[in-house]
Amino acid sequence: MTGFNRKSTVVTSGDMRAPNRAMLRAVGFGDGDFGKPVIGIANPHSTITPCNAGLNRLADAAVGAVAAAGGMPQTFGTITVSDGISMGTQGMKLSLVSREVIADSIETVVRGQSMDGLLAIGGCDKNMPGALMAIARLDVPAVFVYGGTIKPGHHAGQDLNIASVFEAVGALQAGRMDRETFDIVERKSCPGAGSCGGMYTANTMSCAIEALGMALPGTSTMANVDDEIVAAAADAGRALLGLMARPEPVTARQILTRPAFENAIAVGMAIGGSTNMVLHLLAIARAAGVPLALADFEAIRRKVPHLAETKPSGRFVATDLHRVGGLPMIMKMLLDRGLLHGDALTVTGKTLAENLAGVSGEPDGEVVRRFESPLYAMGHIAILEGSLAPEGAVAKVSGVKVPTMRGPAKVFDSEEAAMAAIEARAIQAGDIVIIRYEGPRGGPGMREMLAPTSALVGQGLGGAVGLITDGRFSGATYGMVVGHVAPEAAAGGPIALVQDGDVVLIDATTNALEVEVAPEVLAARKAAWRAPEPAWTRGVLAKYARVVGSASEGANTD
């Protein structure tokens, strides 16, 4: 074991340790505990969101396991913001901000209390990348524990989830759903605790973290309400102490290597994960000091097929994936074909290949396709570039029947303005909707555009209208959508210069995102452009807007 306060910069020898001991006795330390490693248990339990409402029992299980294995667990809280509840409101501006606050808060406590190791629990979308960013910065022995997915609701033989409600709004407005059915969908879509059930951002990131090697095998698709996830939290506590008991303890950056990030990208492509994976993996890699760029996602995408038919574009949810073998089965398929780095170290203390050695079984052919007959031959997240996005943009092409779209721009300077036009039925098939000044700096906070995209799907326009934004998209979004456009409008990027009626091209086959306007015309518009006054001049959003970087690099504040 590493011993008490191994990273402390305070003199702790002899009698100078007495104040430390006195304070710690008040929280349960006894004479025999001061030589044990101090383990932080970061617990974002809250009743703000179903994603985090069931986390206390996982924290309790981890505390018990750490104590039994010879550590001294100390719990502390972290925040959360529910994307699903704040979606479509000004509150959504704080979602990505919360990722930074979570990372900063965990780092602050672990450094401030000179903790020897960290077990971080996460439920809602930003808990997970925030925790991993802190883990990467701290570089102490660490393990991540996923809080688990929600189970689907049911109505008329159909599975329901939070995306069902957003799409029902558009269907009701278009007269394609009656009020009685709408109310039933709203009441039944979220039946209990757990993170949103499709392969949206939370489940995508839990799978990515398992692929990174920072979570125990098989835990990324468990349901929050099932008993197995409690046992997994206890196993994670024991695994952490195992990493620390080695002659040379295994720290986070020994796991968070370039091959590990390539594994996470490959898995994200195979499972049909959220576009937010791109933003978050870039941010975690930056925190770990690992070079990673948008081009890496495109390169891996071209080698890895899309195997899991998960929502939003598919039929199944995360619990279905768990039922048929979970992530280890998919990872074994990729590993056997040379698409994963099997020598990457994991929190079990073993390599990825060693973890997967005992995995057997064939895919069921529905939830997970056989490698020879995938949903798509290449991954579903494409990186686009062109005159509209010189630094790149991110497109999700799963479920898109027509990968190329060219049409007139309808330009909106906020999500609210776009939603008003959609609700007024002012968007027609063939239009390219542009929502700008919603980027990291311009929003500020890079809101997700689930409400506009879901409303378009509900109106029957999901495959007929393109949508481009310098903001983000929810993991529940599908259709011809392009986000993370960089440079963003608030930075004077070309997206700020587009005018109504300009012809815009989205081409996922050639990875092009173009505004068909002569360069000299764009130059004249740029000369006349003036950055808008910031909407927020005080508080957390103002601070965030002043320091946040480009989406093409992860929208970091560090």
Side-chain angles (χ1 to χ4, degrees):
M1 297 296 180
T2 59
F4 174 59
N5 280 0
R6 73 175 176 89
K7 300 189 80 125
S8 175
T9 57
V10 178
V11 175
T12 56
S13 60
D15 292 340
M16 289 300 295
R17 297 185 65 174
N20 305 75
R21 292 196 300 268
M23 293 290 288
L24 290 167
R25 288 183 193 281
V27 295
F29 278 66
D31 288 341
D33 296 327
F34 294 104
K36 298 176 181 178
V38 176
I39 307 299
I41 310 288
N43 177 15
H45 169 85
S46 78
T47 57
I48 289 173
T49 169
C51 310
N52 290 47
L55 301 187
N56 271 344
R57 66 191 191 127
L58 307 188
D60 290 344
V63 165
V66 166
M72 283 304 294
Q74 291 189 294
T75 60
F76 60 94
T78 63
I79 68 158
T80 197
V81 170
S82 171
D83 291 15
I85 295 173
S86 63
M87 195 74 69
T89 74
Q90 291 289 305
M92 189 64 200
K93 293 179 184 291
L94 280 301
S95 169
L96 191 58
V97 175
S98 76
R99 185 190 74 177
E100 308 301 302
V101 177
I102 291 163
D104 291 351
S105 67
I106 293 174
E107 181 187 6
T108 298
V109 174
V110 173
R111 288 197 195 281
Q113 298 305 119
S114 303
M115 292 174 171
D116 298 302
L118 172 65
L119 186 147
I121 304 169
C124 204
D125 294 6
K126 307 309 173 296
N127 300 172
M128 285 166 277
L132 264 291
M133 289 162 66
I135 285 169
R137 293 178 196 169
L138 290 162
D139 194 26
V140 296
V143 176
F144 179 80
V145 173
Y146 182 39
T149 186
I150 195 172
K151 291 191 172 181
H154 303 281
H155 174 64
Q158 298 293 317
D159 285 349
L160 301 175
N161 60 83
I162 187 61
S164 306
V165 187
F166 282 98
E167 291 172 16
V169 172
L172 182 69
Q173 292 169 346
R176 299 170 64 234
M177 180 179 289
D178 58 59
R179 170 61 66 171
E180 181 181 3
T181 303
F182 177 85
D183 289 342
I184 292 171
V185 170
E186 183 264 312
R187 291 188 181 104
K188 292 188 174 183
S189 288
C190 296
S195 298
C196 296
M199 196 49 69
Y200 310 146
T201 303
N203 286 322
T204 297
M205 289 310 300
S206 70
C207 290
I209 292 168
E210 182 176 329
L212 279 170
M214 289 303 306
L216 293 181
T219 59
S220 60
T221 52
M222 291 180 176
N224 174 266
V225 297
D226 289 343
D227 290 339
E228 66 175 347
I229 201 166
V230 180
D235 289 341
R238 287 186 283 271
L240 176 56
L241 269 292
L243 296 177
M244 301 179 74
R246 292 186 164 207
E248 289 295 327
V250 176
T251 63
R253 291 195 186 184
Q254 293 171 257
I255 297 172
L256 294 172
T257 61
R258 169 74 186 210
F261 281 96
E262 292 181 355
N263 287 344
I265 295 169
V267 165
M269 295 296 179
I271 62 175
S274 165
T275 53
N276 284 310
M277 170 188 76
V278 178
L279 195 75
H280 297 325
L281 287 178
L282 287 169
I284 298 164
R286 184 181 180 91
V290 173
L292 196 68
L294 285 175
D296 297 316
F297 290 82
E298 182 63 28
I300 293 172
R301 171 199 173 226
R302 293 179 176 274
K303 297 186 292 185
V304 178
H306 181 174
L307 298 171
E309 192 185 339
T310 49
K311 291 179 180 290
S313 58
R315 295 175 290 163
F316 301 101
V317 294
T319 50
D320 293 316
L321 177 57
H322 193 66
R323 169 176 53 81
V324 301
L327 201 63
M329 180 183 65
I330 291 177
M331 292 176 69
K332 187 66 159 53
M333 293 169 67
L334 298 178
L335 179 67
D336 287 347
R337 290 161 178 85
L339 296 173
L340 294 181
H341 298 282
D343 57 351
L345 186 62
T346 75
V347 293
T348 65
K350 300 177 182 179
T351 66
L352 184 75
E354 289 172 331
N355 287 344
L356 297 174
V359 175
S360 60
E362 292 294 320
D364 70 315
E366 288 191 279
V367 181
V368 179
R369 299 290 184 90
R370 290 174 175 81
F371 195 89
E372 297 73 21
S373 54
L375 282 164
Y376 304 98
M378 294 193 300
H380 64 300
I381 296 177
I383 305 302
L384 309 186
E385 292 182 353
S387 59
L388 193 53
E391 291 181 9
V394 179
K396 189 173 185 179
V397 298
S398 55
V400 174
K401 293 182 174 59
V402 182
T404 300
M405 188 173 290
R406 182 176 179 271
K410 289 195 174 177
V411 182
F412 305 95
D413 287 349
S414 69
E415 179 185 7
E416 287 81 3
M419 273 302 295
I422 293 168
E423 290 176 344
R425 310 302 298 276
I427 305 302
Q428 308 299 321
D431 287 342
I432 307 292
V433 176
I434 292 182
I435 306 176
R436 64 191 180 190
Y437 295 105
E438 291 286 5
R441 187 197 308 179
M446 206 177 178
R447 285 193 288 183
E448 293 180 346
M449 303 293 140
L450 179 58
T453 56
S454 295
L456 289 169
V457 169
Q459 290 180 8
L461 294 172
V465 171
L467 198 152
I468 300 170
T469 181
D470 53 6
R472 296 182 294 131
F473 290 110
S474 164
T477 296
Y478 63 100
M480 182 55 90
V481 295
V482 183
H484 308 199
V485 170
E488 63 175 291
I495 192 172
L497 311 177
V498 182
Q499 296 181 1
D500 282 338
D502 287 347
V503 175
V504 172
L505 171 69
I506 308 170
D507 191 339
T509 62
T510 63
N511 297 82
L513 186 63
E514 307 285 353
V515 53
E516 297 180 359
V517 174
E520 58 271 21
V521 174
L522 284 179
R525 291 179 187 176
K526 180 64 182 286
W529 177 82
R530 296 293 180 270
E533 290 296 316
W536 299 81
T537 57
R538 299 285 301 276
V540 67
L541 284 173
K543 288 191 289 185
Y544 180 86
R546 284 195 294 268
V547 299
V548 70
S550 171
S552 63
E553 298 179 343
N556 293 277
T557 59
D558 181 16

